[in-house]
Amino acid sequence: MSSQQPQQLKMYIDGKWVASESGAYFAAENPATLATIAYLAEGTREDARRAVAAAGKHATEIAGMSIWERSRLCRRIADVMEQRSAELAQVLSQDQGKPLYAEAEYEVKSAIEGFREASEQIKWLEGNTIPVENGNKRVFTFRQPRGVYAVITPWNFPLNIPVEYLAPGLAAGNAIVWVPAPTTSVIAIKLAECFEAAGVPPGVVNLVTGPGPVVGDEIVAHPGTHAVGFTGSPQTGEHIARRAAGKPLLLELGGNGPTVILEDADLELAAAATASGAFFNAGQVCSATERVLVHRRVHEPIADLLVAQAKKVQLGDPLARGTTMGPLNNRGVADKMDRHLEDGIKRGARVLFGGERARELGSELFYRPTVLDNVSAESFINYEESFGPLAPLMEFEDVDEALRIANSAGLGLVASLFTRDIRSAYRIGEKLRAGIVNVNDTSNYWELHIPFGGVSGTRSGIGRLGGKHTIMEMSDLRTITIDLR
Ligand code: NAD
């Protein structure tokens, strides 16, 4: 792709590849080289409205397919993706910046698995028969598609995260209008090509590229969409919740994952898992290890082990074998890393490793894996997600202090805890305010069917993604009562 003249890529609306009605295109940039790899149609509100109308027109088609037919459709999509997996991984790496062999290939596999998972989970969508007082009545429940789903996705896992909505959404019988992140829309086009090749009926999945505040806003607020699925930042999620007022919402927002390392932890294991949590996907993960809370007595060895882990990271060309970390995806996230480091250092933090960009690698978006020590709980790092390759150490004296810091961030998605004591695992695990607490593993551990989402009272989101949980979120619970008199 990179050696050819950049192509103009169209949107997929009503089963056709179409330009924006404005005729405008915007450049898709490879973050590792800053070269333009394609031009994407810059959708307008009118384009988004066309997509909503198409989905509305075809919603009954997908809803009318039997669950077994929809299950087979998901399997066909998985098969097409598998046939095209080498190409998908290449494009994903060039569009997002993640290393091809260490990560992009895995994301493609996981996205394929997402469609297979949905094809299985949907077959167990049973309803209930409800006992009632009135002997002449029979009452039962069942689930139906919600209708037209507006789906908006971010750039950190631009295949996997869309599949987390699209696979269960289709399996559950919804028509979809999808707006991907502008900085990773080339891979979205490739996924839409797979839908077409797999025989998804025209108009059932519609892809609109362009600025989120324009096309994303239109599909969220439009009365023709009946529910919204969104993964992204808390700020945008809250805005969307207001714009979508009254519609069912599935919101997967940010995290500021604390990892708590107790003094009885296996330190080698804790350091390796923490480094993986902080550096995987260059830290651009909602479940990333964003803060490393370490007991005073094991602080020094953990700091040394984390630096040793950071030194092992191979930062460089995402397409080269051996590379384990690529550039950050965009300027916004790189600038945020700068701001967080500057603020943390001003408040007393010390750089043990990294702490700067690696511009010599050919793009300003390369950031060295960074270990910071002595990070103050007053820092932005403690309150906001950094979303970069950062392992910030914060020392605690006792468990109460660790919990106070861990739970102070206002976000509550994922946490991890290292201890050899099963009682601490339960007692502290239950008190960490997060949707998932991983004991003795990286904060990023997750499998496709495990319920994933933010804890109430935090800014991490609403609802749960994962296996049957997404299917429940993306379908309506309906009841029929029958009078037998
Ligand atoms: P973002 O909120 O800026 O953008 C997310 C998506 O929303 C993009 O497609 C964007 O174009 C669109 N958008 C922006 N403004 C919009 C508007 N006004 N109306 C409708 N759509 C709009 O987030 P981001 O920077 O792309 O992604 C990073 C964030 O996503 C981080 O906060 C991260 O934690 C979060 N995230 C969460 C999860 C999760 O599962 N909880 C997973 C991945 C990323």
Side-chain angles (χ1 to χ4, degrees), residues 201-281:
V204 165
V205 179
N206 303 275
L207 171 66
V208 186
T209 49
V214 178
V215 287
D217 183 72
E218 184 64 32
I219 68 167
V220 160
H222 196 293
T225 60
H226 308 127
V228 177
F230 169 78
T231 294
S233 62
Q235 293 79 351
T236 308
E238 286 158 13
H239 177 73
I240 281 177
R242 287 189 289 274
R243 294 288 288 151
K247 298 182 187 180
L249 295 173
L250 178 48
L251 300 179
E252 295 294 336
L253 310 180
N256 195 5
T259 281
V260 178
I261 305 176
L262 300 185
E263 59 182 313
D264 70 342
D266 175 335
L267 301 188
E268 296 273 350
L269 169 79
T274 299
S276 154
F279 302 146
F280 177 66
N281 204 29

Side-chain angles (χ1 to χ4, degrees), residues 256 291 375-384 394 405 408-409:
N256 195 5
R291 299 171 293 155
V375 173
S376 153
E378 307 299 315
S379 317
F380 292 158
I381 292 171
N382 188 41
Y383 288 103
E384 296 173 6
M394 305 167 83
I405 300 171
S408 66

Side-chain angles (χ1 to χ4, degrees), residues 123-170:
K123 290 189 173 175
W124 303 105
L125 197 62
E126 293 171 345
N128 287 321
T129 307
I130 300 178
V132 288
E133 184 178 19
N134 186 330
N136 287 320
K137 300 282 187 186
R138 299 294 179 270
V139 177
F140 63 93
T141 64
F142 60 105
R143 301 200 80 93
Q144 276 201 330
R146 287 198 190 273
V148 177
Y149 240 96
V151 172
I152 301 177
T153 53
W155 43 262
N156 54 345
F157 291 94
L159 253 192
N160 255 347
I161 292 175
V163 169
E164 285 168 14
Y165 294 97
L166 297 174
L170 278 179

Side-chain angles (χ1 to χ4, degrees), residues 23 32 34 58 71 77 135 141 171 183 197 199 212 229 252 259 276 286 344 400 405 432 453 471-472:
L34 306 184
H58 294 284
S71 168
I77 296 170
T141 64
T183 60
E252 295 294 336
T259 281
S276 154
C286 51
D400 286 344
I405 300 171
L432 281 166
I471 289 176
M472 299 307 228

Side-chain angles (χ1 to χ4, degrees), residues 17 39 115 118 138 180 184 253 273 320 346 374 469:
W17 294 97
Y39 293 96
F115 275 99
R138 299 294 179 270
T184 50
L253 310 180
K346 215 163 52 196
N374 206 24
H469 304 281

